[in-house]
Amino acid sequence: MARGPRYKVPRRRRREGKTNYYKRYKMLLSGKPRFIVRKTLNYIWVQVAVARPEGDHIIAAAHSYELVKKYGWKGGTANTPSAYLTGLLAGFRALKKGIKEAILDIGLHSPTKGGIVFAAAKGGIDAGLQIPVGEGMFPSEERIKGEHIAAWSKILREKGLLERYFSRYLARGLNPEELPQHFEEVRKKIIVEYGG
């Protein structure tokens, strides 16, 4: 605990570990919309927001559970393929509202090379948004399609552990080894719906 008369209590959201106000201030100075990516244990949210004096105004948004409800996605809702598809969905919706460019806002997530937040950004870029991100930060095309998940499930099947690790996939009627093909089907559905 800090001591002394000059100690300043940080703002509530900083104390709770929710907002880095310095990063937020720098992003707001750019004057561009923000492509916001947030990840929890089970879901991914992607929003395109414009800063206003009264608070952020959300222009377009997408949630990874929408993939399950609207597009028949049977895979996980917090992995790399679902992050890409959620970013793609949010990107198309932002374009429909007239947003052409945005800056990436990953909040307090660590900027890890090939991470889920960059998979969502890749989805937004593939939709047609201009988001300045270094090419080396994106996951490989194989990871975006879920080929790493399919390969791992093949190993688990040989060991007899597939049911233990992929029970949700199997309950939804998806063989994890067929995830890359299923990914392509869902991606085509999204592109067709938004006229890409």
Side-chain angles (χ1 to χ4, degrees):
M1 188 70 196
R3 296 193 185 100
R6 291 188 173 188
Y7 176 68
K8 181 185 166 209
V9 178
R11 295 181 179 197
R12 178 184 58 82
R13 287 186 62 85
R14 184 65 198 155
R15 288 195 314 265
E16 293 171 356
K18 291 180 179 176
T19 302
N20 182 341
Y21 283 100
Y22 179 76
K23 267 176 76 174
R24 181 178 165 80
Y25 177 68
K26 289 291 183 188
M27 282 187 268
L28 296 183
L29 282 179
S30 72
K32 294 178 182 173
R34 297 187 339 268
F35 190 82
I36 303 166
V37 181
R38 297 293 182 266
K39 179 191 175 302
T40 65
L41 191 61
N42 295 316
Y43 299 108
I44 294 162
W45 282 270
V46 178
Q47 298 174 325
V48 178
V50 175
R52 299 264 172 83
E54 64 273 10
D56 288 349
H57 179 70
I58 306 301
I59 305 293
H63 190 277
S64 59
Y65 192 66
E66 283 182 73
L67 301 173
V68 176
K69 282 171 55 178
K70 289 176 81 175
Y71 302 100
W73 176 250
K74 296 176 184 172
T77 52
N79 55 16
T80 305
S82 65
Y84 173 86
L85 293 171
T86 308
L88 186 71
L89 199 56
F92 278 130
R93 288 175 179 170
L95 283 171
K96 207 171 180 182
K97 296 281 178 90
I99 302 291
K100 301 256 189 298
E101 63 176 337
I103 55 172
L104 183 62
D105 179 356
I106 61 171
L108 297 175
H109 295 295
S110 299
T112 309
K113 183 179 176 181
I116 285 177
V117 291
F118 293 109
K122 176 84 168 121
I125 289 168
D126 288 354
L129 280 178
Q130 292 178 351
I131 303 171
V133 179
E135 280 294 318
M137 295 305 285
F138 297 127
S140 66
E141 200 64 38
E142 291 78 34
R143 283 190 78 81
I144 287 174
K145 289 180 181 175
E147 289 177 15
H148 63 294
I149 298 169
W152 187 51
S153 67
K154 198 171 184 182
I155 293 166
L156 290 175
R157 185 182 292 283
E158 291 165 6
K159 293 182 179 180
L161 297 170
L162 187 67
E163 182 69 40
R164 181 175 172 188
Y165 287 94
F166 285 99
S167 58
R168 284 188 185 175
Y169 284 60
L170 296 170
R172 291 177 187 153
L174 175 68
N175 179 358
E177 293 171 39
E178 297 168 3
L179 185 64
Q181 297 91 319
H182 181 59
F183 170 84
E184 287 298 334
E185 290 169 16
V186 174
R187 181 156 89 174
K188 278 177 189 163
K189 281 183 190 173
I190 293 170
I191 290 170
V192 166
E193 183 181 328
Y194 288 93

